[in-house]
């Protein structure tokens, strides 16, 4: 793997930050399937193939202190993280779960995280959550970290 320059890392961090800031506007009014299609944005290999922990760190930096989607930070991190990991050549999976106790209540508690090869890399699965859907990567060739 060729080394990438310092400016390329900054460029990727900026791209991820911009994607995180515009995500609320990109998903507003969209159905679940349309939102998942947006997560498939870009082509595999069009961002530098950095190690997974580096990309995850960039995503965490980009989603902290949100103005919009404060109560859906895991969704923002999950969608942006999934997109950029896939574009970097990995095969992430995007997981969605709900809290069993909240089912039937006026406000359902849900959670989202990203894994690669069964290892949680962005957000972590929460206890008491029941997985309702796992979105596999449509592209990507590199497995693992």
């Amino acid at each position: 793997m060729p080394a990438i320059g310092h400016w390329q890392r900054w460029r990727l961090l900026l791209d991820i930050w911009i994607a995180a800031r515009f995500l609320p506007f990109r998903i507003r009014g969209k159905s679940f399937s349309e939102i998942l299609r947006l997560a498939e944005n870009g082509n595999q290999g069009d961002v530098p193939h950095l190690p997974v922990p580096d990309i995850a760190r960039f995503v965490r930096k980009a989603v902290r202190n949100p103005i919009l989607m404060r109560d859906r930070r895991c969704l923002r991190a999950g969608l942006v993280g999934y997109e950029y990991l896939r574009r970097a050549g990995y095969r992430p999976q995007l997981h969605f779960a709900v809290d069993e106790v909240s089912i039937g209540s006026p406000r359902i508690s849900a959670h989202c995280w990203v894994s690669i090869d069964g290892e949680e890399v962005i957000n972590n699965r929460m206890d008491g959550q029941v997985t309702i859907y796992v979105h596999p990567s449509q592209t990507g060739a590199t497995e693992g970290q």
Side-chain angles (χ1 to χ4, degrees), residues 21-89:
R21 291 300 177 266
F22 281 97
L23 183 72
F25 304 105
R26 290 177 58 211
I27 67 173
R28 177 172 280 144
K30 303 262 190 290
S31 69
F32 184 66
S33 61
E34 290 171 321
I35 290 170
L36 292 177
R37 275 195 298 278
L38 285 173
E40 297 295 332
N41 185 41
N43 297 315
Q44 183 219 348
D46 67 355
V47 299
H49 184 78
L50 293 176
V52 171
D54 290 354
I55 296 172
R57 187 177 70 249
F58 289 173
V59 169
R60 281 192 302 276
K61 284 182 180 183
V63 301
R64 66 181 172 203
N65 303 321
I67 294 171
L68 300 174
M69 292 180 67
R70 283 186 186 275
D71 59 343
R72 290 173 272 164
R73 190 176 303 176
C74 66
L75 179 61
R76 179 181 279 184
L79 290 170
V80 172
Y82 171 88
E83 176 184 340
Y84 279 86
L85 285 165
R86 188 188 54 74
R87 290 172 65 184

